[in-house]
Amino acid sequence: MININKLNLKLDNNNLAMSSRLKKPSQRAVFSAWCNIIEVNNAYDLSAHYQDICQNHHNEHKWILMINPENDSLEQLSTMGKINPERILKVNASKVNVSLEQIKNTLLKGTCSAMILSNAHYNQAQLKEISHCAALGETHCILLQTTTEQISQLH
C-alpha cells in the first residue's frame, strides 16, 4: 500500500526548496520595489502623481518627505481636500543643503513612508545606493523627472 501523505510531503518539500531559491530578489527587483523614476509631462500630470503618492504612502506614524516640490500643485491639492498636508515635510534644496549622503541617511532611518525627489539626477551607481538604502529603511523613494522645462507656466 502506498502512503499518499508521504508522497505529498516529499513533493511539498521539493516545492518549498525551489520557491525559496526563486524568492531571492535580484538587484533589479529591489530597485523597482523601493525606488522608482516617474516622468512628469505637465502640471496636471504632476498633481496627479502627488495625489497618488500621498494617498498610497499615507501613514499616521511616518512622514512623506518632498525635496524640491512644486508648491502650487501641493497647495491646490490641499485646498481641494485631495491630500492631507499634516504628514508632509517639504524641503527646498536651494535653501538647505541636500547631499546624496543626507538622502541615503534619511532613507536608512525609516522615519518616512516615502521620499519624493523632484528633478534630481543621479547616475546608475548612485541610484543603486539610493535603492539599497531605501530597501534597508523600508522607505519608498520616488524620483519625479519633468520632461518639460516650463511646468510652472502650465499650471
Side-chain angles (χ1 to χ4, degrees):
M1 185 166 163
I2 298 176
N3 186 345
I4 295 175
N5 290 334
K6 247 186 184 176
L7 183 61
N8 287 340
L9 183 60
K10 283 184 180 181
L11 290 175
D12 286 342
N13 283 341
N14 287 339
N15 288 340
L16 287 173
M18 287 178 63
S19 66
S20 66
R21 277 181 284 178
L22 295 175
K23 287 184 182 177
K24 290 181 183 175
S26 66
Q27 190 69 5
R28 186 76 177 151
V30 171
F31 180 78
S32 64
W34 291 103
C35 191
N36 297 313
I37 298 173
I38 299 173
E39 288 191 11
V40 178
N41 298 316
N42 53 43
Y44 177 78
D45 197 23
L46 179 66
S47 293
H49 285 301
Y50 279 161
Q51 183 178 348
D52 289 344
I53 292 166
C54 289
Q55 288 174 349
N56 292 335
H57 297 287
H58 175 74
N59 184 323
E60 292 295 326
H61 305 290
K62 291 188 175 189
W63 299 97
I64 295 176
L65 177 61
M66 295 186 168
I67 299 174
N68 290 331
E70 176 61 43
N71 288 324
D72 292 339
S73 294
L74 284 176
E75 287 176 20
Q76 183 180 14
L77 288 171
S78 178
T79 56
M80 293 170 67
K82 294 189 176 188
I83 63 169
N84 181 0
E86 292 177 3
R87 301 301 298 172
I88 297 173
L89 294 174
K90 297 185 292 184
V91 174
N92 187 337
S94 65
K95 296 180 181 175
V96 177
N97 183 19
V98 181
S99 68
L100 179 61
E101 287 303 312
Q102 289 171 321
I103 289 170
K104 292 187 322 186
N105 287 336
T106 302
L107 289 168
L108 285 169
K109 286 180 185 175
T111 55
C112 299
S113 60
M115 176 187 287
I116 297 109
L117 300 164
S118 296
N119 291 319
H121 299 282
Y122 298 103
N123 63 36
Q124 278 303 112
Q126 292 169 324
L127 287 173
K128 274 187 177 180
E129 289 179 48
I130 290 170
S131 179
H132 181 70
C133 292
L136 289 175
E138 296 182 357
T139 302
H140 293 274
C141 185
I142 300 140
L143 288 89
L144 298 176
Q145 302 288 329
T146 56
T147 55
T148 61
E149 294 293 321
Q150 303 296 327
I151 194 162
S152 61
Q153 288 183 354
L154 295 174
H155 198 273

